[in-house]
Amino acid sequence: LLRCVQQLKNDGFRVDDLFQKCLFEEDEKEKVLRAIRTVQPNYQLPPPPNPQTCKSSLLQDFYSKEKMVSYPKLDFSAQELQEHFQQQLEMELDNTVTIESVESTKPLTPQAIKARKLLATLRSRWHSSILQALQKSKHSMSKHKMVSGYNILYPYLCLLPDEEYVGIMLQILNTLSPQGESLAVLARELGSKVYNRYVTQRKLCSGQLEKVQEVYKDYVHLLAKDSKPAKYLPREYWEKLVAEAGFGPSLNLKDCSWPYVLIMRLGMHMLELLVQAVKVPRNILNPRLEPKLIPVLYHIYSFRSSWQVGLIKPHPIFSQIVSDAAETLLTFNSSAIPMLCPPVPWTSPHFGAFVLNDTKLMRFVDGAIQHQLLLEQCPPVNLHPVLDALNQLGNCAWKINQPVLDIIISIFNDKGNEKLDIPPPMSEAPRPPAVSGNSSTWNKSQKHELLLCKKKAAEMHSLRMDALYKLSIANYVRDKVFWFPHNMDFRGRTYPCPPYFNHLGNDVTRAILLFAEGRPLGPKGLDWLKIHLINLTGLKKKDALQDRLKYANEIMEEILDSADHPLTGRKWWMNTDEPWQALACCMEIAKASRSPDPAAYISHFPVHQDGSCNGLQHYAALGRDLIGAISVNLMPCNVPQDVYSVVAQQVEEFRKKDAEQGLKIAQVLQGFISRKVVKQTVMTVVYGVTRYGGRLQMEKRLKEIDEFPEEYLWEASHYLVKQVFNGIKEMFSATRDIQNWLTESAKLIAQSGRTVEWVTPLGLPIVQPYYRSTSTVVSICWALRQQAKARQVGITCGKPDTVKQKNAFPPNFIHSLDSTHMMLTALHCLRQGLTFVSVHDCYWTHALTVDVMNQICRQQFVALHSEKILQDLSEFMLEKYCSPGRETRALWQKKLMEQLSNVPQTGEFNLKKVMDSTYFFS
């Protein structure tokens, strides 16, 4: 022990470092302390480090101890929250959740009963044959002395009981679409399922789960209504409790993530076992055929664009049995279901969200690890604002709007309704043409028709299953309160972790979600509900808020009829832009307006405020562009400015001039240029759409106009995209200057062999993951290169993809500003006790607090853009890419320095005007 302690000192470490920097499992910390005290009897553990406070100028007030207020309480006692935690823990320990499908209400036919019995028999046989194949392959691997590719897998096939691997493989078999699935997707899913179960086992064995249980038991007192108020944020309180717990395992487990290549290889091996072991008698549905065993799964190749991809496809016999059985149980990973208790707060890039399920703070493409390394290298205090914002979004409690869910399920179980975005069942799919003779004798049009039928059937199946999953999960939690833990993508945009059912979903999904917490409408709440309804219809976008409210009052009869007789009345709600959300809002307005005192009516309904061409707002503010600011509602005005209509008018002016000069296509386009035709392209120009992409968007819009002559589609869309780009260039000159500066800077950085990196105003480090070669190889090389820097070891790997790096930088940079603004708004709403969630640039709160949220949102937009954003970006990049201090610089470095130093000039727009802008939200 003395020799070890001496060696530690010789290598420049202190004994204290053992306890401050090491991660421990089980009782390792106690054992190490006992060992140290053997040679240093009076040794005392170092005190926990003092919590650091974020120094961001944007959040000085937020983190100020003087201005701190108690964390908002949930409407649950500590005992109730503890019970919710136990339910969540049990669900995660099981790894999977089996729930009733919403199709279960259909009567069972004799055919379905027969098919279900047959499937049960087959599954029992398959279980035995897969188990046998797995054991045989493991035995064979264990015999090999040499390290071969498959021999590497042997330890990973011994981590769980054999039965668990078989269960995972059968689960995949049960969810396979008749059209097949990509080999890579299935392999990743299989490998990931094994990894997730391994992580669960490890957390159980290391004692981590016991410690999480112990800490969570105290943590709920911060959120519960019956506990003493504490002036902590969730992250701060959790960290305090962990520090007080002292001994036991570290909650940040030693890194146990598996390389992407290994997960894929493990999944491929399990797929091979499935293909080999799962067989079905050929005559099972047709006794006239010979009773030969044939594989249930087979491997085929298909082309997607110009790429050849491997698919695993089920045999039609198996698909037929599954279809006939019409099973009513669906099995999901526990991480696919909303949480039944408030999420574990994010305290680091490795810890937060679910109780047991392994969740990454940042989502990224498979195999990419450069984001994770950047986060690890970032000082923990710099990540506090981002972690606190994610915790705030995740702590919003939800419940189901049951009347709306019941109506949707009834239509889903009838025949669906494509107009209302409820996919019809496969029985409604178009039938392929009935043609006699061999398919080789079919003519070109018959083959084309068959192909179209197959494509339509595949699309219908995909949409139907997506809707089935969403509605079944919603039905499963219909009587529960639930939460959506959040994480983010590499640009900082936030997303709920459960993938199928969440508030980022479509109109159907959003309509069935309510805040679990109710608040009185207050004096203006009912008016906001009515304005929100008119916003959902898409009818009065150019009208002032008062005019929208007046219109809502004029059509009250239609609103009440929709609420009372949604499927049998005049169905006004069905002809709106967002019909299901409009119906839910009609029902809320009806209940509130009929209550004895509408101001006292307790509403759980989320009211949305949607950004007004959000990307252009950021560009206009960055460039202090007065004309641009007026166009996107950053200035006070009586009616909302509609940038799409203004661009459409401008394009129409260009068209008139060209038509007068005899240009044929300009003459053909007369009467066809509208807001709707240009909207998508104007919106996506900000996010980097190319002329090619814009032309495709235009062509799609023109195709939707029945009267437009088809033979002019290509020429007209080509002409229009050119004019839209010209119109935006004239209107938003500062925007184009900034976009060009960002693009050119990224191009020069990528050409020098580096990836584009920056840090958001909230301190989140960002790197663009675009390379010429595959992400797996490259990101492993990138990681090695980072680790080798200290040793000056050169590692070469794939070069950055210059085209993607330069084209993606402007939109990614704007997305990162957008997410920064949203996080600032979320944090300041927390300080004022508001319920707040977001769908990127669309912000949700109670009707009572819409005005307060609007005020906070404007304040934070002004605060964000009062920072020297472009100047700071320039300085960061000059330091990172141009190595100041070198006397001799390469030519590319001089060129890059010149480019980065030449920050675009700004205009005369006064940012403070945003505070008085009425239509900051559309």
Side-chain angles (χ1 to χ4, degrees):
L1 286 170
L2 272 168
R3 185 174 54 78
C4 285
V5 171
Q6 194 54 50
Q7 184 68 51
L8 196 71
K9 286 178 181 170
N10 294 347
D11 290 343
F13 294 100
R14 300 170 308 135
V15 172
D16 283 359
D17 290 341
L18 286 172
F19 299 97
Q20 287 173 330
K21 295 179 182 176
C22 287
L23 296 175
F24 297 102
E25 292 188 21
E26 299 179 65
D27 58 350
E28 289 174 349
K29 190 173 181 181
E30 292 91 320
K31 286 178 176 172
V32 171
L33 180 62
R34 202 179 311 142
I36 294 296
R37 282 181 175 163
T38 308
V39 291
Q40 294 182 10
N42 299 323
Y43 178 77
Q44 293 300 315
L45 280 174
N50 288 326
Q52 289 182 287
T53 304
C54 172
K55 296 288 189 287
S56 166
S57 58
L58 289 166
L59 289 166
Q60 277 171 346
D61 283 357
F62 181 77
Y63 286 111
S64 156
K65 294 295 171 194
E66 296 79 54
K67 297 189 180 180
M68 195 165 279
V69 293
S70 298
Y71 192 78
K73 302 291 178 182
L74 296 171
D75 195 21
F76 293 100
S77 66
Q79 178 62 37
E80 286 169 326
L81 286 174
Q82 192 54 39
E83 285 164 13
H84 281 290
F85 173 76
Q86 283 306 126
Q87 290 171 22
Q88 178 65 26
L89 179 57
E90 282 164 28
M91 186 164 80
E92 289 190 43
L93 281 169
D94 289 340
N95 276 297
T96 57
V97 183
T98 300
I99 66 176
E100 279 281 341
S101 152
V102 290
E103 288 182 325
S104 61
T105 50
K106 292 181 177 177
L108 258 183
T109 62
Q111 185 187 22
I113 294 167
K114 187 181 172 187
R116 285 184 191 182
K117 280 183 183 169
L118 181 54
L119 259 183
T121 309
L122 288 170
R123 280 177 184 147
S124 173
R125 276 189 218 154
W126 293 338
H127 185 281
S128 305
S129 53
I130 296 169
L131 183 60
Q132 212 174 337
L134 174 68
Q135 289 168 343
K136 189 178 171 186
S137 86
K138 281 171 68 176
H139 182 71
S140 160
M141 285 179 189
S142 67
K143 296 287 177 206
H144 288 300
K145 293 280 189 288
M146 296 290 288
V147 176
S148 66
Y150 281 122
N151 206 25
I152 290 167
L153 295 181
Y154 180 67
Y156 296 90
L157 290 169
C158 299
L159 289 170
L160 309 172
D162 289 349
E163 291 284 340
E164 286 215 33
Y165 293 97
V166 176
I168 288 169
M169 288 187 256
L170 281 172
Q171 195 187 333
I172 287 286
L173 186 64
N174 293 340
T175 56
L176 200 59
S177 140
Q179 282 73 36
E181 186 56 270
S182 150
L183 198 65
V185 168
L186 287 175
R188 185 182 68 226
E189 204 175 330
L190 281 163
S192 299
K193 281 178 186 290
V194 175
Y195 170 71
N196 289 335
R197 295 199 184 190
Y198 158 70
V199 168
T200 303
Q201 297 273 28
R202 181 146 180 206
K203 286 178 179 177
L204 287 169
C205 297
S206 70
Q208 189 186 1
L209 176 59
E210 284 174 44
K211 190 162 180 180
V212 168
Q213 280 179 290
E214 185 189 319
V215 174
Y216 197 95
K217 196 172 182 178
D218 291 329
Y219 169 68
V220 294
H221 290 288
L222 179 75
L223 312 175
K225 64 182 177 184
D226 60 346
S227 52
K228 290 176 187 173
K231 294 186 178 181
Y232 292 97
L233 293 166
R235 171 190 53 78
E236 293 169 340
Y237 196 57
W238 186 275
E239 285 171 344
K240 173 181 177 286
L241 294 171
V242 169
E244 285 168 1
F247 288 106
S250 311
L251 290 185
N252 277 359
L253 266 182
K254 292 171 192 167
D255 184 42
C256 59
S257 56
W258 296 351
Y260 174 66
V261 176
L262 173 73
I263 283 177
M264 289 299 285
R265 193 175 277 181
L266 179 63
M268 285 290 188
H269 181 63
M270 291 169 76
L271 263 183
E272 275 178 37
L273 293 178
L274 260 180
V275 172
Q276 287 166 20
V278 180
K279 295 192 173 160
V280 65
R282 193 174 167 217
N283 66 340
I284 201 157
L285 295 180
N286 186 350
R288 285 174 296 177
L289 297 171
E290 56 179 310
K292 181 182 162 192
L293 281 176
I294 54 169
V296 165
L297 303 175
Y298 52 103
H299 187 186
I300 61 166
Y301 286 96
S302 176
F303 282 91
R304 290 191 183 165
S305 301
S306 57
W307 292 90
Q308 190 182 30
V309 292
L311 294 179
I312 291 288
K313 200 168 180 182
H315 196 282
I317 289 174
F318 172 67
S319 297
Q320 188 61 54
I321 298 170
V322 170
S323 173
D324 291 346
E327 290 183 304
T328 60
L329 292 177
L330 297 169
T331 300
F332 295 99
N333 283 350
S334 54
S335 57
I337 306 291
M339 284 186 76
L340 304 178
C341 68
V344 173
W346 284 107
T347 55
S348 78
H350 298 282
F351 186 82
F354 292 99
V355 179
L356 281 173
N357 289 320
D358 194 46
T359 314
K360 293 274 186 285
L361 174 68
M362 191 175 271
R363 307 168 170 217
F364 34 79
V365 292
D366 291 318
I369 51 177
Q370 59 267 57
H371 306 288
Q372 197 67 24
L373 275 161
L374 265 186
L375 290 174
E376 283 166 14
Q377 290 163 6
C378 180
V381 69
N382 290 9
L383 293 177
H384 286 174
V386 170
L387 300 178
D388 292 335
L390 287 169
N391 293 335
Q392 178 57 12
L393 297 171
N395 271 351
C396 175
W398 299 87
K399 68 175 188 174
I400 294 295
N401 188 336
Q402 294 187 16
V404 177
L405 177 63
D406 290 336
I407 296 167
I408 293 170
I409 290 173
S410 72
I411 295 176
F412 181 86
N413 276 338
D414 185 14
K415 285 192 174 175
N417 185 323
E418 289 195 63
K419 183 177 174 254
L420 294 174
D421 205 13
I422 298 179
M426 292 307 291
S427 57
E428 302 298 303
R431 296 275 172 261
V435 182
S436 56
N438 195 318
S439 60
S440 58
T441 63
W442 292 9
N443 63 35
K444 198 174 178 182
S445 70
Q446 287 168 333
K447 286 179 180 173
H448 182 64
E449 197 179 338
L450 178 68
L451 199 69
L452 285 179
C453 281
K454 282 187 172 177
K455 189 182 174 201
K456 179 69 177 168
E459 282 171 7
M460 281 178 69
H461 180 270
S462 173
L463 291 169
R464 181 78 178 174
M465 293 310 289
D466 180 58
L468 176 69
Y469 289 172
K470 284 174 177 167
L471 295 176
S472 299
I473 293 171
N475 200 43
Y476 174 69
V477 294
R478 68 182 297 136
D479 298 314
K480 299 176 169 74
V481 171
F482 50 90
W483 287 261
F484 296 121
H486 279 63
N487 63 0
M488 60 188 169
D489 67 12
F490 75 91
R491 303 162 303 187
R493 292 198 112 186
T494 60
Y495 300 84
C497 298
Y500 303 111
F501 173 67
N502 58 57
H503 59 286
L504 253 70
N506 61 1
D507 174 46
V508 174
T509 320
R510 293 183 192 188
I512 50 184
L513 280 167
L514 294 170
F515 292 137
E517 182 194 1
R519 296 209 175 177
L521 283 178
K524 289 175 70 179
L526 183 56
D527 287 353
W528 271 119
L529 281 175
K530 290 174 181 176
I531 292 167
H532 175 55
L533 173 64
I534 302 309
N535 290 345
L536 291 168
T537 67
L539 292 171
K540 300 280 176 183
K541 292 214 170 222
K542 297 179 194 175
D543 290 35
L545 291 178
Q546 280 310 112
D547 292 339
R548 295 181 211 181
L549 178 59
K550 186 181 168 193
Y551 177 67
N553 288 325
E554 284 168 9
I555 59 163
M556 257 325 260
E557 204 179 311
E558 296 289 0
I559 293 170
L560 296 175
D561 176 71
S562 294
D564 297 339
H565 312 288
L567 301 179
T568 55
R570 295 193 291 275
K571 304 176 189 174
W572 169 84
W573 64 276
M574 288 190 185
N575 298 310
T576 59
D577 278 6
E578 308 280 359
W580 289 108
Q581 289 175 83
L583 174 62
C585 197
C586 287
M587 290 176 166
E588 188 73 0
I589 290 168
K591 282 188 277 188
S593 57
R594 287 167 177 163
S595 69
D597 177 9
Y601 172 78
I602 303 296
S603 174
H604 295 259
F605 200 84
V607 173
H608 312 171
Q609 297 285 278
D610 208 341
S612 177
C613 205
N614 198 252
L616 282 171
Q617 285 182 328
H618 282 293
Y619 271 123
L622 281 171
R624 304 291 194 272
D625 177 359
L626 185 58
I627 297 169
I630 293 167
S631 308
V632 289
N633 295 302
L634 294 183
M635 291 279 280
C637 50
N638 296 327
V639 290
Q641 300 302 301
D642 182 37
V643 66
Y644 310 117
S645 298
V646 176
V647 173
Q649 275 174 322
Q650 213 164 11
V651 171
E652 176 59 16
E653 293 299 319
F654 295 150
R655 186 205 65 76
K656 274 183 190 166
K657 281 181 194 167
D658 290 340
E660 284 163 14
Q661 289 169 11
L663 185 67
K664 175 74 174 148
I665 195 64
Q667 292 165 350
V668 170
L669 275 162
Q670 185 173 348
F672 291 111
I673 294 170
S674 65
R675 178 186 190 274
K676 192 177 179 183
V677 168
V678 303
K679 181 181 175 181
Q680 190 184 9
T681 309
V682 174
M683 197 191 299
T684 51
V685 157
V686 192
Y687 296 119
V689 77
T690 58
R691 289 197 178 217
Y692 173 75
R695 193 200 69 73
L696 291 177
Q697 290 169 348
M698 292 291 185
E699 188 177 316
K700 198 173 177 187
R701 296 290 83 84
L702 291 172
K703 260 186 192 171
E704 291 166 2
I705 303 170
D706 295 336
E707 301 80 37
F708 190 79
E710 206 173 316
E711 65 273 20
Y712 288 106
L713 276 173
W714 192 91
E715 200 181 343
S717 55
H718 197 271
Y719 173 83
L720 279 177
V721 78
K722 182 182 164 193
Q723 302 307 347
V724 167
F725 273 62
N726 288 342
I728 290 173
K729 206 177 226 174
E730 274 192 28
M731 275 179 70
F732 297 94
S733 53
T735 296
R736 298 308 289 182
D737 290 346
I738 296 168
Q739 237 176 359
N740 293 339
W741 180 71
L742 294 171
T743 304
E744 191 58 30
S745 302
K747 179 179 147 191
L748 292 171
I749 290 167
Q751 283 174 346
S752 74
R754 313 279 294 276
T755 49
V756 178
E757 289 181 38
W758 69 98
V759 176
T760 72
L762 276 187
L764 179 70
I766 295 177
V767 55
Q768 293 195 146
Y770 312 120
Y771 296 90
R772 281 191 213 163
S773 53
T774 61
S775 61
T776 309
V777 176
V778 168
S779 42
I780 290 169
C781 289
W782 189 92
L784 289 170
R785 192 193 286 140
Q786 294 295 99
Q787 290 159 3
K789 269 182 186 173
R791 302 191 302 272
Q792 279 76 48
V793 179
I795 292 176
T796 57
C797 66
K799 290 184 178 178
D801 184 324
T802 307
V803 173
K804 279 190 180 174
Q805 288 283 346
K806 79 179 179 70
N807 287 345
F809 183 36
N812 284 341
F813 182 69
I814 293 297
H815 278 311
S816 74
L817 288 184
D818 201 16
S819 76
T820 299
H821 176 227
M822 184 279 293
M823 288 179 178
L824 286 168
T825 306
L827 293 172
H828 285 87
C829 282
L830 152 67
R831 278 284 177 253
Q832 300 212 25
L834 272 66
T835 300
F836 173 90
V837 288
S838 84
V839 178
H840 304 316
D841 63 341
C842 178
Y843 298 169
W844 300 17
T845 191
H846 285 93
L848 172 72
T849 51
V850 171
D851 289 308
V852 184
M853 183 187 74
N854 279 341
Q855 187 72 2
I856 293 169
C857 182
R858 287 167 174 75
Q859 284 168 350
Q860 295 316 310
F861 187 87
V862 172
L864 172 63
H865 283 285
S866 298
E867 299 282 298
K868 308 189 307 294
I869 294 175
L870 294 180
Q871 200 62 47
D872 290 346
L873 178 67
S874 165
E875 286 167 16
F876 172 83
M877 288 183 155
L878 280 166
E879 189 179 329
K880 180 158 194 69
Y881 300 109
C882 298
S883 315
R886 278 194 194 176
E887 287 179 23
T888 55
R889 286 193 174 90
L891 183 64
W892 69 264
Q893 250 181 335
K894 287 178 183 169
K895 200 173 173 186
L896 179 57
M897 273 189 77
E898 194 180 318
Q899 168 63 26
L900 290 173
S901 305
N902 190 19
V903 180
Q905 296 295 307
T906 54
E908 300 301 313
F909 170 56
N910 179 359
L911 261 182
K912 289 186 178 160
K913 294 280 186 189
V914 172
M915 291 309 300
D916 303 317
S917 152
T918 321
Y919 297 100
F920 184 81
F921 291 110
S922 58

